[in-house]
Amino acid sequence: KAGVTQTPRYLIKTRGQQVTLSCSPISGHRSVSWYQQTPGQGLQFLFEYFSETQRNKGNFPGRFSGRQFSNSRSEMNVSTLELGDSALYLCASSLGAGVNTEAFFGQGTRLTVV
Amino acid sequence: AQTVTQSQPEMSVQEAETVTLSCTYDTSESDYYLFWYKQPPSRQMILVIRQEAYKQQNATENRFSVNFQKAAKSFSLKISDSQLGDAAMYFCAYRSYKIGNQFYFGTGTSLTVIP
């Protein structure tokens, strides 16, 4: 069974540009969450999607957005990139939306903004 | 927001020895879940063990066990018979229904295993 797949693995962008990251959850999983990991702020929750609906959103500016498709694949978009957006972006998928369901993480996308 | 604190940025252990990683958290809820995740250099977060707050019995998974002290809001991870493959960042995390489905993570403990 394939795990959570995040693409691309590495990305270098210029300040002011926009970027789209992709996450393909484990087959059958309907919940996808996104986290930003930085040395300074640690792991912070971005948003959660379940069956194409955003269920929860973290405390990030509107430049960060996401969506989920009917096949449960999810994308997150960051517009007008800032140097501080450089981070590892992790995606997690779960079978359901409950806190008792196990979350499986991908290997992340390393975004560098120059 | 919930607070999860890991006060040990770095720990080291000799191979085959036992090490304990500390975690405390702040919550006013009675029903929640606690987790330990491992993040090796590959960056993928791997679930090590989880504990449901309403269960008094400490969770155990092979060489990994926890000491869950609900009243003290403490959740430590004990790794027995440490192996080289245990070297990684370890994150303590909190999750509950009332605050949505997201994890609140601690800042992590970097574990080094010395051969």
Side-chain angles (χ1 to χ4, degrees), chain A residues 3-4 9-10 31 33 35 37 42-45 48 55-57 88 90 92 94 96-110, chain B residues 31-33 35 37 39 41-48 50 52 54 89 91-92 94-108:
Chain A
V4 180
R9 292 288 307 279
Y10 300 91
S31 174
S33 298
Y35 290 83
Q37 185 176 16
L43 283 145
Q44 293 186 287
F45 169 73
E48 178 204 1
R55 295 184 73 238
N56 204 355
K57 189 177 191 303
L88 178 67
L90 291 166
S94 300
V99 295
N100 60 340
T101 58
E102 185 171 350
F104 296 84
F105 285 81
Q107 290 186 284
T109 293
R110 172 77 68 187
Chain B
D31 190 14
Y32 49 88
Y33 290 77
F35 305 81
Y37 274 90
Q39 187 178 42
S42 67
R43 308 181 321 206
Q44 185 173 19
M45 300 280 277
I46 301 165
L47 177 64
V48 174
R50 75 173 187 178
E52 298 168 70
Y54 66 86
M89 281 291 288
F91 291 94
C92 177
Y94 172 101
R95 208 181 191 189
S96 82
Y97 289 103
K98 288 188 178 179
I99 57 170
N101 208 22
Q102 74 264 33
F103 288 96
Y104 287 89
F105 288 94
T107 50

Side-chain angles (χ1 to χ4, degrees), chain A residues 15-108:
Chain A
R15 193 171 42 181
Q17 287 186 313
Q18 75 164 21
V19 67
T20 299
L21 311 182
S22 178
C23 172
S24 293
I26 292 171
S27 178
H29 285 197
R30 296 165 64 191
S31 174
V32 173
S33 298
W34 290 88
Y35 290 83
Q36 181 196 64
Q37 185 176 16
T38 60
Q41 299 297 318
L43 283 145
Q44 293 186 287
F45 169 73
L46 281 156
F47 20 66
E48 178 204 1
Y49 288 89
F50 181 78
S51 293
E52 302 179 66
T53 301
Q54 187 180 89
R55 295 184 73 238
N56 204 355
K57 189 177 191 303
N59 189 25
F60 278 81
R63 300 184 298 106
F64 291 81
S65 63
R67 59 179 175 169
Q68 186 180 34
F69 301 95
S70 58
N71 62 357
S72 293
R73 189 178 71 86
S74 177
E75 289 181 347
M76 67 162 281
N77 184 78
V78 188
S79 62
T80 318
L81 283 166
E82 300 177 359
L83 296 179
D85 297 332
S86 295
L88 178 67
Y89 290 88
L90 291 166
C91 164
S93 84
S94 300
L95 189 61
V99 295
N100 60 340
T101 58
E102 185 171 350
F104 296 84
F105 285 81
Q107 290 186 284

